[in-house]
Amino acid sequence: MIAETLNIKIQKTTHSRLAETDFSDLHFGKTFADHMFQMDYEDEQWKNAKIIPYEKLQMSPSLAVIHYGQSIFEGMKAYKNEKGEIFLFRPLENFERFNRSAKRMCMPEVSEEIFMESIRQLVLLDKEWIPTAAGCSLYIRPVMFASDEFLGVRPSDTYKFMVITSPSAAYYSQPIKVLVESKFARAFEGGTGYVKASGNYGRSLYPSKIAHEKGYQQLIWTDAFEHKYIEESGTMNVIFQVGDKLITPPVSNTILPGVTRDSVLTLARDMGVTVEERKISITELVEAHRKGQLLDAFGTGTAATIAPIELIGFEGEDYMLPPVSERKLSTKIHAQLEAIRFGKAADAHGWAMKIN
Ligand code: COI
């Protein structure tokens, strides 16, 4: 249950961009709904909760976040079904992770009321922006950044918490080609890999660009120490089907505890599938492929949901995966996940939160 006591000042736009938005040609994260939420942290408390028209920010060139990257974010989605019911999917998991990210980055936490009520009121105000075409949803992006105007390296005293939303299609429109990364690392023991610190994503760009130039859309990240064990794929968790088991690296200091990852594993277990959360080496994967046992590989994430991997490149060799039409298990899990998200299937775990 969400408390409704947070006093949010609402200033509605006088010029909605809804009519000029082409909902038949949505991509990921390119179009933004009419409004955004903003709140300030000053004098050790959150204040000035407001929803205002989506607009550019005024920034000082000395803004702490630009210089030292004290910034965190979340990714969530809102879904609308034919009855006009609007759902968030496991939003409290995002709330808790947001505060874990805040703690690791030395930032103030937000209350459950601030997080949930800002999102609920913003999504309901812009509910016409929730796309209903298959595979589409309203992507929700809560973000917090350091807003002191100061060049000394220390935690900022002031922060902004904002929520913007974007009607979006799935992140990937096609199965992806991924390259095993054996030199660069996304995360390392003691680092920030287990939270959504913005810098995690910035540092991934250069190795990803090199992979792109070689014809791969994404990387499979390996451990920073030996580059032997699989960690994540691109911005997603990664899951493999070997025979009739699902295998995925366990969440750790270096692996993000993905909400979609957990949902997929839970649904698989509900279906009686054996799930192993354990270290998996590239050598083991290549061996499973050689024996014809590597039946599926896919990334999981809020933006991408389930992103099938077409092939895995490693040491000059491309290991092809079976066509998506043959991947019965992940297809079944994906369909069930979508049905729960839209309030259309029994929701045994209470994951879909109706907000209207
Ligand atoms: C998400 O899946 O929401 C993510 O965080 C990936 C994003 C960086 C596109």
Side-chain angles (χ1 to χ4, degrees):
M1 188 61 206
I2 307 168
E4 286 193 43
T5 49
L6 182 68
N7 185 15
I8 304 181
K9 263 202 200 149
I10 299 182
Q11 182 203 334
K12 289 190 190 169
T13 183
T14 50
H15 177 70
S16 171
R17 288 172 282 104
L18 193 57
E20 66 216 38
T21 302
D22 183 359
F23 277 74
S24 67
D25 185 31
L26 289 177
H27 300 266
F28 175 82
K30 275 197 168 170
T31 309
F32 300 96
D34 277 333
H35 299 91
M36 62 184 184
F37 174 86
Q38 280 193 10
M39 200 163 184
D40 304 309
Y41 186 82
E42 287 165 11
D43 306 324
E44 301 189 1
Q45 47 182 308
W46 285 105
K47 41 177 98 155
N48 310 330
K50 60 185 181 192
I51 290 178
I52 55 173
Y54 179 92
E55 63 185 14
K56 294 204 160 85
L57 303 176
Q58 291 260 0
M59 287 194 308
S60 158
S62 61
L63 203 72
V65 65
I66 310 176
H67 298 271
Y68 307 124
Q70 204 189 357
S71 169
I72 58 169
F73 70 93
E74 268 303 322
M76 308 159 69
K77 283 175 172 173
Y79 303 86
K80 183 161 66 179
N81 65 19
E82 301 87 45
K83 291 192 240 162
E85 295 172 314
I86 300 170
F87 298 92
L88 301 177
F89 186 74
R90 306 186 71 181
L92 294 173
E93 304 289 327
N94 298 89
F95 159 67
E96 280 162 15
R97 192 171 62 189
F98 194 68
N99 278 343
R100 286 199 297 274
S101 303
K103 186 167 182 204
R104 176 62 181 84
M105 293 303 289
C106 216
M107 301 167 89
E109 296 190 1
V110 294
S111 65
E112 181 178 327
E113 185 189 11
I114 291 175
F115 191 86
M116 293 303 302
E117 197 55 13
S118 59
I119 291 170
R120 192 184 74 88
Q121 292 201 28
L122 183 67
V123 169
L124 291 184
L125 182 63
D126 279 336
K127 63 174 190 278
E128 302 307 325
W129 285 87
I130 308 174
T132 48
C136 295
S137 58
L138 187 71
Y139 186 77
I140 304 167
R141 172 53 62 86
V143 59
M144 190 204 300
F145 59 84
S147 55
D148 276 6
E149 298 178 21
F150 179 56
L151 296 185
V153 181
R154 56 128 173 88
S156 184
D157 288 329
T158 63
Y159 296 87
K160 254 195 196 306
F161 171 57
M162 304 194 314
V163 185
I164 57 174
T165 65
S166 170
S168 292
Y171 199 77
Y172 296 107
S173 52
Q174 298 290 333
I176 51 174
K177 300 181 170 68
V178 299
L179 179 66
V180 175
E181 176 59 65
S182 306
K183 178 176 172 197
F184 296 101
R186 187 195 84 93
F188 42 86
E189 283 294 319
T192 57
Y194 66 103
V195 293
K196 280 184 97 67
S198 304
N200 293 352
Y201 298 77
R203 85 165 52 82
S204 75
L205 300 176
Y206 177 63
S208 307
K209 176 169 171 265
I210 298 173
H212 241 266
E213 285 164 1
K214 294 181 183 160
Y216 300 89
Q217 282 96 29
Q218 267 306 347
L219 293 171
I220 285 196
W221 298 105
T222 51
D223 70 282
F225 189 51
E226 297 176 282
H227 293 294
K228 190 169 157 193
Y229 294 99
I230 292 166
E231 299 243 302
E232 296 194 10
S233 179
T235 60
M236 302 177 289
N237 295 114
V238 64
I239 301 179
F240 303 96
Q241 184 183 344
V242 178
D244 48 17
K245 284 185 205 163
L246 289 186
I247 308 180
T248 191
V251 292
S252 67
N253 266 338
T254 58
I255 296 180
L256 192 81
V259 178
T260 311
R261 171 191 182 279
D262 181 72
S263 308
V264 166
L265 300 184
T266 303
L267 290 180
R269 287 185 174 115
D270 289 353
M271 291 169 187
V273 174
T274 303
V275 172
E276 293 179 2
E277 293 180 69
R278 61 164 172 85
K279 282 184 158 198
I280 175 162
S281 68
I282 294 293
T283 321
E284 177 182 346
L285 205 64
V286 167
E287 185 62 10
H289 186 276
R290 195 185 58 76
K291 292 187 188 149
Q293 292 173 344
L294 184 60
L295 303 184
D296 199 350
F298 53 94
T300 60
T302 298
T305 307
I306 289 183
I309 291 173
E310 180 185 334
L311 63 82
I312 301 172
F314 177 58
E315 292 185 341
E317 196 85 37
D318 279 342
Y319 297 90
M320 285 297 298
L321 275 291
V324 174
S325 57
E326 288 176 19
R327 305 188 194 187
K328 302 281 185 263
L329 179 58
S330 62
T331 305
K332 186 171 158 196
I333 295 172
H334 194 174
Q336 169 126 22
L337 201 52
E338 288 299 292
I340 295 173
R341 284 170 153 170
F342 283 88
K344 290 181 180 174
D347 182 10
H349 303 280
W351 287 340
M353 182 186 279
K354 186 167 171 297
I355 58 164
N356 63 341

